[in-house]
Amino acid sequence: MQTQSAHSITTKVILLFLIFLLKLNIYAQNIDETIILADKMFSKKEYSTTIELLKRVIFFSEIKQSEVFEKCGDAYFMQNDYKNALNLYDSAFVYSSTKQNIQELIYKKIDCLIFSGKYNDAELMILTSEETNISEEIKRKNFYLGIIYYAQTNYEKSKEFFINSLNDTAIMAKSEVSELFKKKKYFERPNPKIAGIFSLIVPGSGQLYAGDYKNAINSFLLVAVFAAIGTDMLIRYAWYDSLISVSPWFLRYYTGGYKNAVDIARQKRTERRNKRLNEIIEITRK
């Protein structure tokens, strides 16, 4: 009886062990399938779905931790959620085991900082990263520093690092980059302060200076109409009638025109700077 009982217990243990292995195998397959599905969703630009799938993998499994954290960070990055992307790249960094992957994660973190406008943090991360004698890595660092100093409007340093990111034999490209930095006034035009002053002197002229002809005409006509109405009331009735009835509207559009001119000039200047940066990047990435 004891022998049969022991045999029965052993059989049950073996069966339980086999069931456990079967469940473990199914579980592993489900995790792998979820990762594959997340990759498909990412390729289809379904980033929110990608994030939800990968969060499930992160919660229930420790398989491919670095890879999963990084891919989830990539999905957040594509949604312009740089804060969450940076946190996930940090997590991927902890689990990463290869030097190459660690280096790539560092630059992904730098991308997050740059796109978040944290240029000083991005600069510090580059300058404190591991020193290397590899030519391509040095050029990559110089390229990123060129972007950072450009964003900080330090164009002299930006030019220096962009040029240093090029091969020594790329004489023509270096000359082209240097030429794009020569006209310093290009980076400051249109000047928002000048646009504001022009708008105060002649309504609409600030927008005209900034190159926005439609808003220039609108601003001029609106202020001119209320000025004409105010003048007419001043002649026909009394000065206080004109002051009470028309002045609030006149001042509203007059000051609104000033603010509009400043905003348009600032936006146009940013567009010009971004266009020039894209030209520089295009040359350096050839």
Side-chain angles (χ1 to χ4, degrees):
M1 290 293 291
Q2 288 181 352
T3 304
Q4 287 181 343
S5 178
H7 179 72
S8 176
I9 292 169
T10 304
T11 304
K12 286 181 180 179
V13 169
I14 292 170
L15 284 171
L16 287 171
F17 182 69
L18 289 173
I19 291 168
F20 171 75
L21 288 177
L22 182 62
K23 285 185 176 180
L24 190 65
N25 184 51
I26 293 169
Y27 173 74
Q29 286 180 344
N30 287 339
I31 292 297
D32 287 337
E33 287 171 2
T34 304
I35 293 171
I36 291 168
L37 180 59
D39 286 337
K40 286 181 179 179
M41 292 297 102
F42 187 90
S43 65
K44 292 180 179 180
K45 300 182 180 180
E46 297 286 344
Y47 302 121
S48 295
T49 305
T50 302
I51 290 165
E52 291 306 313
L53 289 167
L54 293 176
K55 278 184 176 180
R56 198 178 305 166
V57 174
I58 291 168
F59 185 80
F60 288 107
S61 171
E62 293 185 2
I63 299 171
K64 302 177 182 178
Q65 284 282 38
S66 179
E67 180 185 324
V68 173
F69 277 120
E70 183 177 357
K71 178 63 76 172
C72 196
D74 291 342
Y76 272 117
F77 186 89
M78 296 306 294
Q79 289 186 317
N80 303 324
D81 187 345
Y82 306 118
K83 182 179 179 181
N84 276 317
L86 185 60
N87 290 335
L88 283 155
Y89 290 146
D90 279 332
S91 298
F93 189 89
V94 172
Y95 289 98
S96 186
S97 57
T98 66
K99 188 174 181 180
Q100 183 179 358
N101 185 239
I102 287 171
Q103 198 65 24
E104 287 304 313
L105 284 167
I106 287 172
Y107 279 103
K108 285 187 176 185
K109 288 165 69 176
I110 291 167
D111 284 335
C112 289
L113 293 171
I114 290 173
F115 280 95
S116 300
K118 298 177 179 179
Y119 306 118
N120 290 332
D121 292 341
E123 179 188 3
L124 182 63
M125 187 171 288
I126 292 175
L127 295 177
T128 56
S129 62
E130 185 180 347
E131 291 292 333
T132 177
N133 293 323
I134 301 171
S135 175
E136 289 304 313
E137 190 58 37
I138 293 170
K139 286 189 285 186
R140 190 179 187 183
K141 281 187 176 184
N142 287 330
F143 174 76
Y144 269 83
L145 286 169
I147 291 175
I148 290 167
Y149 291 128
Y150 189 97
Q152 293 175 319
T153 68
N154 189 339
Y155 300 116
E156 282 301 318
K157 288 189 78 172
S158 178
K159 179 179 74 173
E160 176 189 341
F161 281 101
F162 272 127
I163 289 173
N164 288 338
S165 73
L166 293 163
N167 292 323
D168 293 336
T169 55
I171 308 299
M172 183 66 71
K174 288 184 177 184
S175 176
E176 288 176 2
V177 170
S178 183
E179 192 65 30
L180 288 174
F181 276 101
K182 263 187 180 179
K183 297 177 181 178
K184 294 180 181 179
K185 289 182 179 179
Y186 178 92
F187 299 106
E188 301 304 323
R189 291 178 179 171
N191 189 316
K193 289 182 180 179
I194 293 175
I197 292 169
F198 280 173
S199 186
L200 288 175
I201 296 170
V202 179
S205 61
Q207 291 88 333
L208 189 65
Y209 160 76
D212 191 332
Y213 305 113
K214 182 180 178 180
N215 273 302
I217 294 169
N218 286 342
S219 181
F220 177 79
L221 289 177
L222 281 169
V223 174
V225 165
F226 281 104
I229 293 171
T231 303
D232 182 65
M233 289 188 70
L234 183 64
I235 294 170
R236 288 170 176 260
Y237 305 103
W239 64 268
Y240 47 83
D241 289 326
S242 175
L243 184 66
I244 294 170
S245 302
V246 180
S247 290
W249 291 98
F250 174 83
L251 289 172
R252 176 184 174 183
Y253 287 108
Y254 182 74
T255 56
Y258 163 80
K259 292 176 182 177
N260 181 250
V262 171
D263 290 341
I264 290 170
R266 190 176 287 119
Q267 181 185 344
K268 292 282 186 181
R269 185 174 65 179
T270 299
E271 289 173 0
R272 282 166 66 91
R273 288 176 177 176
N274 289 343
K275 181 183 176 183
R276 181 53 52 88
L277 178 60
N278 288 332
E279 291 170 355
I280 293 164
I281 290 173
E282 188 176 343
I283 293 168
T284 55
R285 295 294 89 187
K286 284 180 182 177

